[in-house]
Amino acid sequence: MPHIVTDNCKLCRFTECVESCPVECFHADDEQLYIDPDVCVDCSACIPACPVQAIYEVIDMPEDKEPWIAINAERSRTLPIVIAKQEPLPTAEAQRAKLGF
Ligand code: F3S
């Protein structure tokens, strides 16, 4: 089962997940990352790497996060690949606190 980036990534984009990924499955827009389900090798290394628990394996997705499965597949198709860690967004620490992490 592929892995999915959900809305907890929005306004954070810590990109720790990219460093843990053995393949090039992460794509980004200005707000967050998305995983290409055809490239993800299901290793789960990115799940504990994310400081705001934004990533789930499909099989463990909470029901309210399920729309993100299609969003990741669609958005990753056209957005550029991210292959290295980047600076988190300027809003990241405030958003992390707001999310309770
Ligand atoms: Fe987003 Fe978490 Fe990665 S905030 S960029 S999914 S480390």
Side-chain angles (χ1 to χ4, degrees):
M1 290 278 176
H3 291 59
I4 305 294
V5 185
T6 65
D7 49 346
N8 274 21
C9 182
K10 216 171 203 169
L11 304 179
C12 291
R13 234 177 59 180
F14 283 104
T15 62
E16 311 288 352
C17 53
V18 176
E19 291 236 298
S20 71
C21 182
V23 293
E24 295 180 354
C25 71
F26 284 96
H27 297 250
D29 62 16
D30 289 344
E31 289 189 324
Q32 72 167 82
L33 266 54
Y34 308 87
I35 291 174
D36 183 337
D38 294 331
V39 177
C40 174
V41 292
D42 304 334
C43 72
S44 296
C46 58
I47 292 177
C50 177
V52 291
Q53 289 180 17
I55 304 176
Y56 293 86
E57 189 171 6
V58 166
I59 202 166
D60 293 328
M61 295 278 292
E63 216 175 296
D64 64 329
K65 303 280 188 190
E66 283 177 0
W68 288 94
I69 298 171
I71 295 170
N72 274 246
E74 188 187 320
R75 299 289 286 152
S76 63
R77 217 175 292 139
T78 53
L79 291 166
I81 292 178
V82 179
I83 55 169
K85 180 166 168 46
Q86 300 175 352
E87 280 298 306
L89 294 178
T91 48
E93 287 305 330
Q95 184 66 5
R96 187 207 303 233
K98 195 173 160 189
L99 291 167
F101 293 101

